[in-house]
Amino acid sequence: MENVMVSRLKNLLESQGISQKELAVRAGVTEAAVSHYIKGDRVPRGAILLNIANALNVTTDYLLNGEEPEKDMNNDIEKSYRLLARNAKCLTIEQKTKFLALLLQEDR
């Protein structure tokens, strides 16, 4: 029986149209290592697992347990607000307005 991570990796590569070689480049590992992870022969350790998750735009929990992270809208808004505040000096008025309009949308 295939473990959760192997299944997730295969599904994510297929759904995102990413090759093993491309994942290897994005995650900073060899193509052979990715092949072993996908076969279930090896399990990536800490930093490598995080690199793979980041390369696939998922969390490590999702890869290991198949659990979707709960969406915390307040946390997302707070992060967006901090991002805007940190970069406000670099943005034009139009960019700031567009960003704020996105934050203020009700049914996102």
Side-chain angles (χ1 to χ4, degrees):
M1 187 166 136
E2 203 171 79
N3 73 36
V4 173
M5 189 187 73
V6 170
S7 175
R8 291 288 178 187
L9 280 174
K10 287 179 181 178
N11 290 337
L12 287 165
L13 289 176
E14 184 178 326
S15 68
Q16 294 182 19
I18 298 173
S19 67
Q20 289 184 24
K21 184 175 186 173
E22 187 176 348
L23 178 59
V25 170
R26 289 183 185 185
V29 297
T30 65
E31 193 174 347
V34 170
S35 178
H36 285 293
Y37 303 147
I38 291 172
K39 289 179 191 174
D41 297 338
R42 295 185 192 162
V43 176
R45 293 192 180 174
I48 301 293
L49 181 65
L50 182 58
N51 290 348
I52 291 171
N54 287 335
L56 296 170
N57 296 311
V58 296
T59 64
T60 54
D61 284 341
Y62 179 78
L63 283 179
L64 294 174
N65 305 320
E67 296 175 7
E68 296 279 352
E70 289 184 29
K71 248 337 206 176
D72 182 358
M73 187 61 79
N74 289 332
N75 192 28
D76 288 348
I77 291 171
E78 182 62 30
K79 285 180 185 176
S80 299
Y81 175 77
R82 285 195 310 264
L83 179 66
L84 177 63
R86 195 170 47 237
N87 295 294
K89 292 179 183 177
C90 304
L91 299 174
T92 66
I93 293 294
E94 292 80 21
Q95 290 171 323
K96 290 177 189 176
T97 303
K98 185 175 180 180
F99 192 82
L100 287 172
L102 289 171
L103 283 175
L104 296 174
Q105 282 181 358
E106 289 185 2
D107 301 314
R108 295 198 295 156

mmCIF file of all heavy atoms in Angstrom, residues 9 12 16 23 26-27 44 46-64:
data_model
loop_
_atom_site.group_PDB
_atom_site.id
_atom_site.type_symbol
_atom_site.label_atom_id
_atom_site.label_comp_id
_atom_site.label_asym_id
_atom_site.label_seq_id
_atom_site.Cartn_x
_atom_site.Cartn_y
_atom_site.Cartn_z
ATOM 1 N N LEU A 9 2.749 13.270 -3.550
ATOM 2 C CA LEU A 9 3.774 13.715 -4.498
ATOM 3 C C LEU A 9 3.361 13.413 -5.937
ATOM 4 O O LEU A 9 3.435 14.282 -6.805
ATOM 5 C CB LEU A 9 5.120 13.053 -4.199
ATOM 6 C CG LEU A 9 5.949 13.640 -3.080
ATOM 7 C CD1 LEU A 9 7.180 12.784 -2.816
ATOM 8 C CD2 LEU A 9 6.365 15.067 -3.405
ATOM 9 N N LEU A 12 0.411 15.670 -6.942
ATOM 10 C CA LEU A 12 0.798 17.071 -7.109
ATOM 11 C C LEU A 12 1.612 17.285 -8.378
ATOM 12 O O LEU A 12 1.407 18.263 -9.102
ATOM 13 C CB LEU A 12 1.579 17.560 -5.887
ATOM 14 C CG LEU A 12 0.748 17.781 -4.627
ATOM 15 C CD1 LEU A 12 1.642 17.895 -3.400
ATOM 16 C CD2 LEU A 12 -0.130 19.015 -4.774
ATOM 17 N N GLN A 16 -0.018 19.606 -11.259
ATOM 18 C CA GLN A 16 0.672 20.868 -11.537
ATOM 19 C C GLN A 16 1.516 20.804 -12.809
ATOM 20 O O GLN A 16 2.131 21.785 -13.197
ATOM 21 C CB GLN A 16 1.546 21.263 -10.341
ATOM 22 C CG GLN A 16 0.742 21.588 -9.106
ATOM 23 C CD GLN A 16 1.607 22.023 -7.939
ATOM 24 O OE1 GLN A 16 2.750 22.427 -8.099
ATOM 25 N NE2 GLN A 16 1.054 21.962 -6.738
ATOM 26 N N LEU A 23 10.981 19.327 -10.286
ATOM 27 C CA LEU A 23 10.850 19.322 -8.831
ATOM 28 C C LEU A 23 12.226 19.254 -8.182
ATOM 29 O O LEU A 23 12.490 19.953 -7.206
ATOM 30 C CB LEU A 23 9.984 18.157 -8.349
ATOM 31 C CG LEU A 23 9.836 18.030 -6.837
ATOM 32 C CD1 LEU A 23 9.223 19.280 -6.223
ATOM 33 C CD2 LEU A 23 9.019 16.802 -6.478
ATOM 34 N N ARG A 26 13.781 22.708 -8.357
ATOM 35 C CA ARG A 26 13.101 23.629 -7.431
ATOM 36 C C ARG A 26 13.439 23.336 -5.969
ATOM 37 O O ARG A 26 13.541 24.243 -5.156
ATOM 38 C CB ARG A 26 11.591 23.540 -7.606
ATOM 39 C CG ARG A 26 11.067 24.132 -8.876
ATOM 40 C CD ARG A 26 9.557 24.033 -8.872
ATOM 41 N NE ARG A 26 8.959 24.476 -10.114
ATOM 42 C CZ ARG A 26 7.646 24.573 -10.293
ATOM 43 N NH1 ARG A 26 6.807 24.249 -9.318
ATOM 44 N NH2 ARG A 26 7.164 24.975 -11.445
ATOM 45 N N ALA A 27 13.561 22.041 -5.639
ATOM 46 C CA ALA A 27 13.787 21.645 -4.242
ATOM 47 C C ALA A 27 15.264 21.564 -3.884
ATOM 48 O O ALA A 27 15.604 21.377 -2.719
ATOM 49 C CB ALA A 27 13.112 20.305 -3.972
ATOM 50 N N PRO A 44 12.189 12.073 2.550
ATOM 51 C CA PRO A 44 13.049 13.253 2.694
ATOM 52 C C PRO A 44 13.073 13.740 4.129
ATOM 53 O O PRO A 44 12.068 13.679 4.836
ATOM 54 C CB PRO A 44 12.395 14.284 1.767
ATOM 55 C CG PRO A 44 10.996 13.828 1.584
ATOM 56 C CD PRO A 44 10.996 12.345 1.757
ATOM 57 N N GLY A 46 13.834 16.722 7.117
ATOM 58 C CA GLY A 46 13.485 18.103 7.435
ATOM 59 C C GLY A 46 13.538 19.152 6.352
ATOM 60 O O GLY A 46 12.535 19.487 5.748
ATOM 61 N N ALA A 47 14.730 19.707 6.123
ATOM 62 C CA ALA A 47 14.879 20.827 5.193
ATOM 63 C C ALA A 47 14.497 20.440 3.768
ATOM 64 O O ALA A 47 13.898 21.240 3.040
ATOM 65 C CB ALA A 47 16.305 21.360 5.231
ATOM 66 N N ILE A 48 14.809 19.221 3.378
ATOM 67 C CA ILE A 48 14.469 18.760 2.032
ATOM 68 C C ILE A 48 12.956 18.661 1.883
ATOM 69 O O ILE A 48 12.385 19.077 0.868
ATOM 70 C CB ILE A 48 15.127 17.394 1.715
ATOM 71 C CG1 ILE A 48 16.643 17.490 1.838
ATOM 72 C CG2 ILE A 48 14.690 16.885 0.356
ATOM 73 C CD1 ILE A 48 17.315 18.365 0.820
ATOM 74 N N LEU A 49 12.293 18.123 2.891
ATOM 75 C CA LEU A 49 10.835 18.024 2.876
ATOM 76 C C LEU A 49 10.211 19.417 2.749
ATOM 77 O O LEU A 49 9.280 19.626 1.971
ATOM 78 C CB LEU A 49 10.329 17.329 4.136
ATOM 79 C CG LEU A 49 8.830 17.142 4.236
ATOM 80 C CD1 LEU A 49 8.328 16.210 3.144
ATOM 81 C CD2 LEU A 49 8.453 16.612 5.601
ATOM 82 N N LEU A 50 10.748 20.362 3.492
ATOM 83 C CA LEU A 50 10.252 21.734 3.421
ATOM 84 C C LEU A 50 10.476 22.321 2.033
ATOM 85 O O LEU A 50 9.590 22.978 1.475
ATOM 86 C CB LEU A 50 10.931 22.603 4.482
ATOM 87 C CG LEU A 50 10.474 24.046 4.567
ATOM 88 C CD1 LEU A 50 8.983 24.133 4.828
ATOM 89 C CD2 LEU A 50 11.255 24.776 5.637
ATOM 90 N N ASN A 51 11.645 22.076 1.442
ATOM 91 C CA ASN A 51 11.924 22.563 0.089
ATOM 92 C C ASN A 51 10.949 21.968 -0.930
ATOM 93 O O ASN A 51 10.482 22.664 -1.832
ATOM 94 C CB ASN A 51 13.358 22.225 -0.326
ATOM 95 C CG ASN A 51 14.387 23.028 0.420
ATOM 96 O OD1 ASN A 51 14.078 23.996 1.093
ATOM 97 N ND2 ASN A 51 15.633 22.606 0.328
ATOM 98 N N ILE A 52 10.654 20.691 -0.783
ATOM 99 C CA ILE A 52 9.713 20.031 -1.696
ATOM 100 C C ILE A 52 8.315 20.628 -1.525
ATOM 101 O O ILE A 52 7.633 20.929 -2.506
ATOM 102 C CB ILE A 52 9.701 18.503 -1.468
ATOM 103 C CG1 ILE A 52 11.029 17.904 -1.938
ATOM 104 C CG2 ILE A 52 8.519 17.847 -2.176
ATOM 105 C CD1 ILE A 52 11.232 16.445 -1.564
ATOM 106 N N ALA A 53 7.895 20.798 -0.272
ATOM 107 C CA ALA A 53 6.573 21.387 -0.013
ATOM 108 C C ALA A 53 6.487 22.788 -0.610
ATOM 109 O O ALA A 53 5.500 23.134 -1.267
ATOM 110 C CB ALA A 53 6.298 21.417 1.490
ATOM 111 N N ASN A 54 7.521 23.596 -0.405
ATOM 112 C CA ASN A 54 7.526 24.950 -0.963
ATOM 113 C C ASN A 54 7.502 24.919 -2.483
ATOM 114 O O ASN A 54 6.812 25.723 -3.111
ATOM 115 C CB ASN A 54 8.738 25.734 -0.471
ATOM 116 C CG ASN A 54 8.615 26.128 0.984
ATOM 117 O OD1 ASN A 54 7.522 26.240 1.524
ATOM 118 N ND2 ASN A 54 9.735 26.339 1.634
ATOM 119 N N ALA A 55 8.251 24.008 -3.075
ATOM 120 C CA ALA A 55 8.298 23.894 -4.538
ATOM 121 C C ALA A 55 6.933 23.528 -5.110
ATOM 122 O O ALA A 55 6.605 23.903 -6.234
ATOM 123 C CB ALA A 55 9.339 22.857 -4.949
ATOM 124 N N LEU A 56 6.132 22.819 -4.335
ATOM 125 C CA LEU A 56 4.805 22.385 -4.783
ATOM 126 C C LEU A 56 3.673 23.258 -4.229
ATOM 127 O O LEU A 56 2.497 22.970 -4.433
ATOM 128 C CB LEU A 56 4.579 20.921 -4.389
ATOM 129 C CG LEU A 56 5.514 19.922 -5.054
ATOM 130 C CD1 LEU A 56 5.383 18.548 -4.426
ATOM 131 C CD2 LEU A 56 5.244 19.853 -6.559
ATOM 132 N N ASN A 57 4.039 24.299 -3.479
ATOM 133 C CA ASN A 57 3.067 25.235 -2.896
ATOM 134 C C ASN A 57 2.070 24.550 -1.962
ATOM 135 O O ASN A 57 0.865 24.808 -2.022
ATOM 136 C CB ASN A 57 2.324 26.008 -3.986
ATOM 137 C CG ASN A 57 3.250 26.882 -4.786
ATOM 138 O OD1 ASN A 57 4.051 27.627 -4.224
ATOM 139 N ND2 ASN A 57 3.181 26.771 -6.094
ATOM 140 N N VAL A 58 2.587 23.654 -1.130
ATOM 141 C CA VAL A 58 1.764 22.993 -0.123
ATOM 142 C C VAL A 58 2.522 23.022 1.203
ATOM 143 O O VAL A 58 3.673 23.438 1.256
ATOM 144 C CB VAL A 58 1.437 21.526 -0.503
ATOM 145 C CG1 VAL A 58 0.594 21.478 -1.762
ATOM 146 C CG2 VAL A 58 2.688 20.690 -0.670
ATOM 147 N N THR A 59 1.883 22.548 2.253
ATOM 148 C CA THR A 59 2.552 22.469 3.549
ATOM 149 C C THR A 59 3.173 21.086 3.727
ATOM 150 O O THR A 59 2.782 20.128 3.056
ATOM 151 C CB THR A 59 1.561 22.707 4.702
ATOM 152 O OG1 THR A 59 0.590 21.652 4.704
ATOM 153 C CG2 THR A 59 0.871 24.057 4.583
ATOM 154 N N THR A 60 4.099 20.998 4.658
ATOM 155 C CA THR A 60 4.690 19.695 4.966
ATOM 156 C C THR A 60 3.635 18.777 5.579
ATOM 157 O O THR A 60 3.653 17.574 5.333
ATOM 158 C CB THR A 60 5.894 19.836 5.917
ATOM 159 O OG1 THR A 60 5.491 20.573 7.078
ATOM 160 C CG2 THR A 60 7.051 20.545 5.244
ATOM 161 N N ASP A 61 2.712 19.334 6.349
ATOM 162 C CA ASP A 61 1.620 18.527 6.916
ATOM 163 C C ASP A 61 0.793 17.891 5.813
ATOM 164 O O ASP A 61 0.389 16.738 5.910
ATOM 165 C CB ASP A 61 0.697 19.378 7.798
ATOM 166 C CG ASP A 61 1.301 19.694 9.143
ATOM 167 O OD1 ASP A 61 2.248 18.994 9.550
ATOM 168 O OD2 ASP A 61 0.837 20.648 9.793
ATOM 169 N N TYR A 62 0.558 18.643 4.759
ATOM 170 C CA TYR A 62 -0.217 18.112 3.643
ATOM 171 C C TYR A 62 0.523 16.944 2.999
ATOM 172 O O TYR A 62 -0.071 15.917 2.688
ATOM 173 C CB TYR A 62 -0.483 19.210 2.617
ATOM 174 C CG TYR A 62 -1.258 18.728 1.416
ATOM 175 C CD1 TYR A 62 -2.626 18.549 1.495
ATOM 176 C CD2 TYR A 62 -0.620 18.447 0.219
ATOM 177 C CE1 TYR A 62 -3.347 18.103 0.391
ATOM 178 C CE2 TYR A 62 -1.333 17.996 -0.883
ATOM 179 C CZ TYR A 62 -2.690 17.828 -0.787
ATOM 180 O OH TYR A 62 -3.401 17.376 -1.869
ATOM 181 N N LEU A 63 1.833 17.085 2.810
ATOM 182 C CA LEU A 63 2.610 16.004 2.202
ATOM 183 C C LEU A 63 2.657 14.765 3.087
ATOM 184 O O LEU A 63 2.498 13.653 2.612
ATOM 185 C CB LEU A 63 4.044 16.459 1.916
ATOM 186 C CG LEU A 63 4.262 17.336 0.706
ATOM 187 C CD1 LEU A 63 5.730 17.721 0.594
ATOM 188 C CD2 LEU A 63 3.801 16.656 -0.568
ATOM 189 N N LEU A 64 2.884 14.961 4.363
ATOM 190 C CA LEU A 64 3.082 13.826 5.265
ATOM 191 C C LEU A 64 1.787 13.169 5.712
ATOM 192 O O LEU A 64 1.721 11.951 5.823
ATOM 193 C CB LEU A 64 3.863 14.265 6.506
ATOM 194 C CG LEU A 64 5.307 14.694 6.256
ATOM 195 C CD1 LEU A 64 5.920 15.245 7.529
ATOM 196 C CD2 LEU A 64 6.124 13.532 5.718
#
